[in-house]
Amino acid sequence: MSKDERSRPHGDLAWDQAWAISVGGIGVVLFTALLAFTWYFATTLLLIFTGMLLGLGLNALTIALGRRVPLPHAVRLAIVCTGLALMLAGIAYLGGATIAEQASLLSKTLKSQLANVRSFLDSHGIDTSFFDLGNGAADAASTTPSSEAASAPAAPSRGALPSAGALASSGGAIVSQTFKLLLGTIHGVGNIFIVLFLGFAFAAQPAVYHDGLLFLAPARHRTRVTLIIDRISETLERWLIAQIIVMLAVGVVTWIGLLLIGIPGSFILGIQAGLLAFIPTVGAIIAGVIVVLASLASGWVPALSAFLLFMGVHAMESYVLTPVLQRQALDIPPATLFAFQILLGVVFGIWGLALALPLVAIAKVMIDHFKTYEAPPLAA
């Protein structure tokens, strides 16, 4: 015990210890509450994070346009949004029918090839019961116990009007399915609207939200928080621009390659390969499996050619485009990234899988900052 501590009254020391214990307990409770809040509202938080990513991307495009066109920020943002909307509308107008037709054809082809794969595995004595996971409802409906059938009322004879109970039951089932479909549509459209609204709001006034985050930090730490926020924003903006270029390159090369090979549905396969390129490692594997399954319908030679094309595109993405465009901005080991993808995918589903890379990038920026940051000396 130091001389100062011995000179202080015993009551003051006890009070200081009790205060320290109380503050520590409150900190533990608040941290636990924060973890519980994050767990229960993870989907909403990831949805908001997606809107923030969209806002960062729009803001990056707006800043890039400002280097060439000296216009106000709002005008440049309007030009960027209008250009993106016109591009999407043009794609939908020129290729909408082709996309719908090829999507339907791709769905039928994949179902047929999955059935062929299942029969091949069955013929070699491999258990394929996992193929029935998605058909549990249908199997349950098809295996209704005979006792329920016996207890059900007899069907009306031909020409007889159905009973009021049968009409009410059928009407209730129709209303229930329609209500579920309507809710699913509203949920999906609502999520898209939320992401778009948040993205436009963040991109329209980035300084307001930047200063708002700084206002939440204690005054003595605002310089440090400013540095962290700026590094995170710069890293995510560079990653988003590079990721958009990679997705476009993967989609175009896949489409042209499959078109030259002669694979039906090459356009929709190129679109899905480009979209899945947003998810590193796992997205490329899923895209490759879909491409190979769709190519099997054309024979083994086209399927092998499509597989070689997929390997070439994946090599171009992993060893040429990503290292050149990212410029070590996200220098994350592949095994670490894959492990976090699997972890977040299992815990949070498709949201965690798709947003694993930007989340890991934020964590890496913060860890690097705290490892290299030197606190200023205390005033005497």
Side-chain angles (χ1 to χ4, degrees), residues 310-336:
F310 157 72
M311 295 299 293
V313 172
H314 182 59
M316 176 191 72
E317 174 191 358
S318 302
Y319 301 107
V320 179
L321 292 177
T322 300
V324 170
L325 294 174
Q326 297 292 356
R327 298 185 184 276
Q328 306 300 322
L330 299 180
D331 187 16
I332 302 173
T336 302

Side-chain angles (χ1 to χ4, degrees), residues 13-362:
L13 291 177
W15 170 258
D16 291 343
Q17 292 176 357
W19 173 255
I21 294 175
S22 301
V23 171
I26 293 173
V28 171
V29 171
L30 291 177
F31 182 73
T32 305
L34 179 63
L35 287 180
F37 178 83
T38 305
W39 174 263
Y40 285 108
F41 299 98
T43 302
T44 304
L45 294 176
L46 292 175
L47 187 68
I48 296 174
F49 181 67
T50 305
M52 294 174 61
L53 285 179
L54 176 61
L56 285 173
L58 293 175
N59 188 56
L61 294 175
T62 304
I63 294 175
L65 180 62
R67 297 191 184 103
R68 295 169 175 81
V69 182
L71 291 174
H73 179 83
V75 177
R76 286 184 277 119
L77 178 62
I79 293 175
V80 169
C81 294
T82 303
L84 292 175
L86 290 176
M87 183 181 66
L88 294 176
I91 293 175
Y93 177 76
L94 297 176
T98 303
I99 293 174
E101 180 182 354
Q102 292 191 2
S104 177
L105 178 62
L106 178 62
S107 176
K108 295 178 182 178
T109 303
L110 290 179
K111 290 179 181 179
S112 173
Q113 294 306 317
L114 286 175
N116 293 337
V117 170
R118 178 175 183 175
S119 2
F120 175 79
L121 295 176
D122 284 335
S123 63
H124 288 75
I126 300 176
D127 183 22
T128 59
S129 58
F130 56 87
F131 279 92
D132 297 328
L133 291 177
N135 301 325
D139 294 341
S142 62
T143 56
T144 304
S146 58
S147 58
E148 294 184 6
S151 61
S157 59
R158 181 176 299 178
L161 293 176
S163 63
L167 285 175
S169 176
S170 301
I174 294 174
V175 171
S176 175
Q177 294 299 323
T178 304
F179 189 66
K180 289 180 180 179
L181 179 62
L182 182 61
L183 283 181
T185 304
I186 293 176
H187 180 72
V189 174
N191 287 342
I192 295 175
F193 176 78
I194 291 173
V195 170
L196 292 176
F197 176 79
L198 290 176
F200 295 150
F202 287 135
Q205 295 178 312
V208 172
Y209 300 100
H210 180 274
D211 296 340
L213 286 176
L214 295 181
F215 180 77
L216 296 177
R220 64 180 182 275
H221 296 305
R222 282 178 186 170
T223 302
R224 192 172 185 178
V225 173
T226 301
L227 185 59
I228 294 175
I229 292 176
D230 290 344
R231 286 184 179 178
I232 290 176
S233 300
E234 181 184 358
T235 300
L236 291 180
E237 286 178 359
R238 287 190 296 171
W239 170 75
L240 280 171
I241 298 298
Q243 197 66 26
I244 291 173
I245 298 174
V246 170
M247 292 169 63
L248 288 174
V250 169
V252 171
V253 172
T254 303
W255 168 43
I256 295 176
L258 293 177
L259 186 65
L260 294 176
I261 295 172
I263 304 299
S266 58
F267 187 57
I268 190 67
L269 287 171
I271 291 178
Q272 63 88 25
L275 293 177
L276 288 173
F278 183 84
I279 307 175
T281 309
V282 177
I285 294 174
I286 297 175
V289 170
I290 293 175
V291 167
V292 172
L293 283 177
S295 305
L296 283 174
S298 302
W300 287 103
V301 175
L304 180 60
S305 302
F307 177 75
L308 295 176
L309 173 67
F310 157 72
M311 295 299 293
V313 172
H314 182 59
M316 176 191 72
E317 174 191 358
S318 302
Y319 301 107
V320 179
L321 292 177
T322 300
V324 170
L325 294 174
Q326 297 292 356
R327 298 185 184 276
Q328 306 300 322
L330 299 180
D331 187 16
I332 302 173
T336 302
L337 177 58
F338 184 74
F340 272 98
Q341 280 185 292
I342 298 302
L343 175 63
L344 295 178
V346 171
V347 176
F348 301 119
I350 187 64
W351 285 104
L353 187 64
L355 300 176
L357 181 55
L359 291 174
V360 174
I362 292 175

Side-chain angles (χ1 to χ4, degrees), residues 221 224 369-370 372-378:
H221 296 305
R224 192 172 185 178
H369 173 80
F370 285 110
T372 59
Y373 180 80
E374 295 184 0
L378 296 175

